[in-house]
Structures are given as C-alpha cells and as structure tokens.
C-alpha cells in the first residue's frame, strides 16, 4: 500500500497540494483523475521522489520514501513521468535497457536482457528497437518510455498519462497488459498508479480511483462509486452523462 499523509507542496511559493491524504491499495490499477493543473503529476513525482517532500509523509509498503536509499527505491518503484525529454541519439533498445540499471549497475546479465526483450515485445517495439528515439512518432516514443518503466521490474509502477499519443489499438493493449500484470491472483502482482484523462479507460480497467481537484483529494473509491454524473460533474465542472454498459460505467463526455 502507498500511504499518503497530509502532504502539502508549494512551487515557487505557490501552494499546489493542500493536505493530501489517501491510500493506494496494493495490486491492481489505481487511476488518478482530475482536471489539468489539479496536482496529479506533482503528487506522483513526490511519491517517486522526483520532487523533494516538503510537508507530510509518503510510505510505500511500510517504508518512508524520504528515508529510503535511492537504489532500494528504484528496485521497488518505477515512474514514467509526463514530460520525458527525449535524449535524441538514443536507440529504443538502450532506453528500455536503462530500466534495468538499478539491478545491474553497469553490468547487464542474461536476466536483464530477458526483461528488456520482454518489455520490447510487450509494447510492440521489435521493429523499432534499433531506431533512434528522435526518429519515432509521438506514440512510438511513448511506448518506448512505458516499456522502460516495465523493464525495471518493480512492484510499483507509476505512469503519468501513459496513453498520451497512443492510438486505440495501442491504448487498449497497454491497459490489457497493465491489467494482466496487476491481478491479485498472480504470484507477484504489480501495483500500478496511472494518471488518465481518457476516463473510459479508467472506467473499463481501474480497480480504484483517486480524484484530485485544486490540489486536494475530492473523491476516492471504486469506479462504480466515483464515476457517477454527480462526482464527475463536480470534478470537471461540466454536465456529464454516465451510462451502464455490461455492468461498467460508460462516460458520455464527448457529446
Ligand atoms: N515547475 C513549476 N513551476 C510553477 N508551477 C508549476 C510547476 N509545475 C507545476 N506547476 C503548477 O502546479 C499545478 C499542478 O501541476 P501538475 O503538473 O501537478 O498538474 P496535473 O494535474 O498533472 O495537470 P495535467 O493534467 O495538465 O498534467 C499547476 O497549476 C501548475 O501550473
Ligand atoms: Mg500532469
């Protein structure tokens, strides 16, 4: 479980997160939803320690993140951030291989090669593995970064808008892959936290939803409880119709 307790955060003196408290359950998919600027990326970056924690506490599986040595944290938790700056002359295979660094620290072995090959295959990157990142399309680059996160082989994987730029085939494939790897019946299920704007992917695949608005948790719970017209309308400030299809909410936000 990730326990987030009374986390507040300022950037250049401006308050961004206000006393955020929530639990993210172990195994399964937690979708972090909310309007642009709500603080989703800031919260994810604090959990992964890409930003220093100023106030409050974040505990991952019983370990306080601010006191965990970097290598231990990297073996336990991976993040694919929203702004992934492209190192241009890097090949896809080498980028995915970076995910293994915390394991081998410069001397990759057969296990590392196997993990890289698996991630490359999982994300349909076989034909692109020798290509340079700056010669790929936006969606292809996105898949390469997500594959790097998977290759890290951590129990926790934080994905900030992993569906960005993906076509519907690759978006669905990503969700199905994440879903399959997070089932509690597995020997070692992963736990994935992902920021999603495409709300119907959260409706279709998430086990748990955390909604952020104006730097605060405005709702959290199961998709059935959170993805209602009342909660979504309050969250996004627009009228939103929700239908039920095969027992799941289908959010009619596009009309
Ligand atoms: N480096 C920065 N300097 C100043 N303000 C920042 C900085 N990074 C983020 N902010 C502000 O913090 C707030 C929260 O940003 P954050 O990136 O966490 O939002 P978000 O929920 O991820 O939004 P989006 O859906 O657009 O990605 C925004 O108002 C943003 O303008
Ligand atoms: Mg963001």
């Amino acid at each position: 479980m990730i326990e987030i307790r009374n986390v507040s955060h300022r950037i250049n003196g401006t308050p961004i997160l206000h006393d955020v408290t929530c639990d993210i359950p172990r195994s399964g998919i937690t979708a972090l939803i909310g309007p642009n600027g709500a603080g989703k990326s800031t919260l994810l970056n604090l959990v992964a320690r890409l930003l220093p924690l100023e106030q409050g506490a974040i505990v991952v599986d019983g370990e306080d993140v601010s006191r965990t040595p970097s290598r231990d944290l990297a073996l336990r938790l991976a993040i694919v951030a929203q702004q992934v700056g492209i190192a241009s002359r890097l090949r896809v295979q080498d980028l995915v291989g970076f995910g293994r660094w915390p394991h081998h620290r410069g001397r990759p072995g057969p296990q590392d090669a196997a993990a890289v090959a698996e991630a490359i295959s999982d994300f349909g990157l076989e034909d692109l593995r020798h290509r340079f990142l700056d010669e790929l399309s936006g969606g292809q680059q996105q898949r390469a970064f997500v594959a790097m996160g998977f290759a890290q082989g951590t129990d926790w994987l934080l994905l900030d808008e992993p569906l960005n730029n993906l076509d519907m085939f690759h978006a669905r494939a990503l969700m199905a892959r994440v879903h399959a790897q997070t089932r509690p019946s597995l020997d070692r299920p992963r736990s994935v936290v992902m920021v999603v704007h495409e709300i119907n992917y959260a409706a279709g695949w998430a086990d748990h939803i955390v909604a952020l608005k104006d730097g605060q948790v405005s709702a959290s719970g199961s998709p059935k409880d959170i993805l209602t017209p009342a909660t979504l309308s309050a969250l996004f400030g627009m009228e939103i119709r929700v239908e039920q299809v095969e027992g799941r909410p289908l959010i009619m936000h596009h009309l």
Side-chain angles (χ1 to χ4, degrees):
M1 182 163 74
I2 297 181
E3 298 159 78
I4 298 169
R5 293 290 174 272
N6 307 106
V7 168
S8 296
H9 193 77
R10 290 171 173 263
I11 299 181
N12 301 330
T14 307
I16 304 293
L17 296 176
H18 313 276
D19 204 25
V20 171
T21 289
C22 66
D23 287 340
I24 297 176
R26 192 82 165 77
S27 40
I29 301 176
T30 295
L32 198 51
I33 64 170
N36 292 141
K40 304 178 299 296
S41 297
T42 305
L43 185 60
L44 224 53
N45 291 343
L46 285 168
V47 172
R49 220 168 60 186
L50 296 186
L51 287 172
L53 188 62
E54 293 172 348
Q55 213 182 316
I58 298 176
V59 176
V60 177
D61 292 340
E63 296 262 356
D64 189 329
V65 163
S66 48
R67 284 194 229 118
T68 308
S70 296
R71 181 162 183 245
D72 293 355
L73 192 62
L75 290 170
R76 175 185 299 237
L77 182 145
I79 182 166
V80 179
Q82 183 172 4
Q83 259 85 37
V84 283
I86 299 291
S88 54
R89 290 282 99 181
L90 198 58
R91 295 181 196 273
V92 169
Q93 183 163 283
D94 298 331
L95 176 79
V96 178
F98 278 152
R100 298 302 300 170
W101 185 267
H103 296 268
H104 61 64
R105 291 191 280 181
R107 293 161 171 258
Q111 262 191 326
D112 302 301
V116 170
E118 188 182 330
I120 283 180
S121 146
D122 279 352
F123 291 94
L125 295 166
E126 289 100 331
D127 293 345
L128 303 174
R129 64 198 303 163
H130 301 300
R131 295 262 299 271
F132 289 112
L133 283 170
D134 63 354
E135 293 169 359
L136 299 183
S137 75
Q140 291 168 338
Q141 288 174 3
Q142 180 70 13
R143 274 155 49 211
F145 277 94
V146 172
M148 174 182 66
F150 268 78
Q152 201 169 323
T154 50
D155 284 349
W156 285 92
L157 184 55
L158 312 183
L159 302 172
D160 198 342
E161 299 196 30
L163 303 177
N164 261 359
N165 295 320
L166 298 195
D167 65 49
M168 64 174 92
F169 173 87
H170 287 106
R172 188 187 178 281
L174 186 147
M175 294 308 296
R177 164 85 13 223
V178 172
H179 190 259
Q181 294 198 7
T182 50
R183 292 312 89 204
S185 55
L186 295 173
D187 279 349
R188 202 184 146 205
R190 289 183 192 250
S191 308
V192 171
V193 187
M194 58 164 69
V195 178
V196 244
H197 284 301
E198 297 83 353
I199 201 88
N200 282 313
Y201 284 100
W205 298 94
D207 301 289
H208 186 70
I209 309 255
V210 175
L212 273 191
K213 186 177 188 184
D214 298 332
Q216 293 178 304
V217 174
S218 65
S220 82
S222 69
K224 189 165 71 59
D225 291 341
I226 302 302
L227 302 178
T228 62
T231 305
L232 288 173
S233 300
L235 185 60
F236 291 101
M238 60 193 268
E239 241 179 73
I240 298 180
R241 211 173 95 209
V242 178
E243 301 289 331
Q244 298 296 319
V245 175
E246 294 176 9
R248 291 214 177 95
L250 177 70
I251 292 88
M252 311 292 287
H253 57 84
H254 54 296
L255 303 172

